Amino acid sequence: MRKFNAIWDKYGTFGILLLITIGLGLFSPQFFLTTSNLTQVLLQSSVTILIGMGEFFTILIAGIDLSVGSVMALTGMVSAKLMVAGLSWPAAILIGGILVGGLLGAFNGFLVNKTGLHPFIITLGTLAIFRGVTLIISDASPVFGLPQGFKRGIAGWLGPIPIPVIIALIVAIVFIFVTNKTKLGRNIYALGGNSQAAWFSGINIKSHTLIVFIISGVAAGIAGVVMTARLGAAEPLAGTGYETQAIAAAIIGGTSFFGGKGRVIGVVMGGLIIGVINNGLNILSVPTYYQQIVMGTLIILAVFLDRFFGSKKTI
């Protein structure tokens, strides 16, 4: 049983992805298993993977960030407003997407540290606050007229590969390096595994909590920029419900909801599983509301499997 647990920890998510892909391929080989459709799956999964990787860090410390969908909307809106005002699109991305995303994440982390409340409560509140700010600054209207260079540079293609996929891959590589090769990554795992033991070993819990939420905010900000470029406009209601997809990608990808265990590559696989399921069900003409049932079932099943098969290893 112990050997199976180790195998499940390493390859369980990939095995699920493979089985779902094969199953959908058997149901619809003429549509699903085509190069163009599989590329479309990668493209559609890129935003989910980005916000899922940010969510992964908050869940890794036994927390959560429910505000990621609203952060996506607000960063996308600020970036669009800056571009329409005449700022170059690279500068607008840096300021409106990455900087604002980081500041919103820092605000979440600051409130968690200052109040001592669980991140669920704090981010449930900021979810509404950030969405309200987005509606106020946009007057509840989409922002159009974005530069063509922005759309091509963020939502275009580099040869046969969609640029959003490349962006998600680069962010994943950075996060894999952080979690596997840096002291910060080791401290975050330790904090999630046992916060009291981490404190006794000299880890600053508050500063690491703040950093984790900044990472989540930056990842959501990048996702917001990508979504805005793909839509060709900044929508005030963009990202609604995406917090569920972010949590699902992390949990399905093997991140323990109880902290201290998970891998970035697992979150990538989790995001792909969501993308494959949504794409496959659309091809099979399954109504959207059934897809929501499938997503909820997957989250419950993933947490159950984590409790039943998951080992105590953190990496």
Side-chain angles (χ1 to χ4, degrees), residues 13 16 24-25 36 55 66 69 126 131 138 188 267 279 291 304:
T13 308
I16 293 171
L24 289 171
S36 60
E55 191 75 52
L66 298 177
T126 56
R131 182 68 63 180
S138 66
I188 290 172
V267 181
N279 179 271
Q291 297 178 25
F304 169 76

Side-chain angles (χ1 to χ4, degrees), residues 31-110:
F31 295 113
F32 184 77
L33 291 178
T34 62
T35 303
S36 60
N37 185 63
L38 292 177
T39 303
Q40 193 64 28
V41 169
L42 291 174
L43 178 58
Q44 292 171 347
S45 302
S46 58
V47 169
T48 302
I49 290 170
L50 283 168
I51 56 172
M53 288 188 292
E55 191 75 52
F56 158 78
F57 281 92
T58 62
I59 295 177
L60 201 59
I61 63 167
I64 200 167
D65 186 353
L66 298 177
S67 69
V68 289
S70 297
V71 172
M72 284 175 60
L74 184 50
T75 53
M77 185 60 67
V78 172
S79 299
K81 287 278 188 180
L82 291 173
M83 282 183 272
V84 170
L87 194 66
S88 68
W89 66 265
I93 290 173
L94 184 62
I95 297 172
I98 297 174
L99 180 59
V100 171
L103 289 173
L104 296 177
F107 182 65
N108 281 334
F110 170 78

Side-chain angles (χ1 to χ4, degrees), residues 11-283:
Y11 306 111
T13 308
F14 177 74
I16 293 171
L17 176 61
L18 191 61
L19 286 173
I20 293 174
T21 303
I22 292 172
L24 289 171
L26 291 174
F27 275 107
S28 182
Q30 71 274 32
F31 295 113
F32 184 77
L33 291 178
T34 62
T35 303
S36 60
N37 185 63
L38 292 177
T39 303
Q40 193 64 28
V41 169
L42 291 174
L43 178 58
Q44 292 171 347
S45 302
S46 58
V47 169
T48 302
I49 290 170
L50 283 168
I51 56 172
M53 288 188 292
E55 191 75 52
F56 158 78
F57 281 92
T58 62
I59 295 177
L60 201 59
I61 63 167
I64 200 167
D65 186 353
L66 298 177
S67 69
V68 289
S70 297
V71 172
M72 284 175 60
L74 184 50
T75 53
M77 185 60 67
V78 172
S79 299
K81 287 278 188 180
L82 291 173
M83 282 183 272
V84 170
L87 194 66
S88 68
W89 66 265
I93 290 173
L94 184 62
I95 297 172
I98 297 174
L99 180 59
V100 171
L103 289 173
L104 296 177
F107 182 65
N108 281 334
F110 170 78
L111 290 179
V112 169
N113 286 332
K114 198 70 175 176
T115 64
L117 295 173
H118 193 277
F120 181 93
I121 303 298
I122 296 298
T123 58
L124 182 63
T126 56
L127 176 155
I129 293 171
F130 297 158
R131 182 68 63 180
V133 173
T134 305
L135 291 167
I136 290 169
I137 66 173
S138 66
D139 198 24
S141 300
V143 174
F144 298 98
L146 305 182
Q148 287 299 317
F150 168 66
K151 299 175 188 177
R152 288 194 301 267
I154 300 299
W157 293 66
L158 189 61
I161 306 174
I163 292 176
V165 175
I166 297 174
I167 293 172
L169 180 61
I170 291 171
V171 174
I173 291 171
V174 171
F175 285 165
I176 288 171
F177 177 80
V178 169
T179 53
N180 291 346
K181 302 295 183 182
T182 68
K183 183 180 179 182
L184 172 64
R186 291 191 294 272
N187 288 349
I188 290 172
Y189 276 107
L191 176 58
N194 189 320
S195 59
Q196 190 172 17
W199 184 80
F200 279 119
S201 65
I203 296 174
N204 188 319
I205 293 176
K206 288 191 174 182
S207 67
H208 282 78
T209 298
L210 183 65
I211 290 170
V212 159
F213 278 96
I214 290 173
I215 291 172
S216 180
V218 169
I222 296 171
V225 168
V226 170
M227 175 172 279
T228 301
R230 290 194 62 202
L231 293 174
E235 296 281 351
L237 295 180
T240 302
Y242 268 71
E243 58 278 352
T244 304
Q245 292 201 27
I247 295 167
I251 299 302
I252 293 169
T255 308
S256 174
F257 213 67
F258 310 99
K261 183 170 79 71
R263 296 181 301 162
V264 173
I265 190 64
V267 181
V268 174
M269 293 294 165
L272 288 174
I273 287 172
I274 293 171
V276 165
I277 290 173
N278 288 339
N279 179 271
L281 293 181
N282 284 332
I283 287 176

Side-chain angles (χ1 to χ4, degrees), residues 291-304:
Q291 297 178 25
Q292 297 297 317
I293 294 173
V294 171
M295 198 63 59
T297 303
L298 277 174
I299 294 173
I300 295 171
L301 183 61
V303 175
F304 169 76

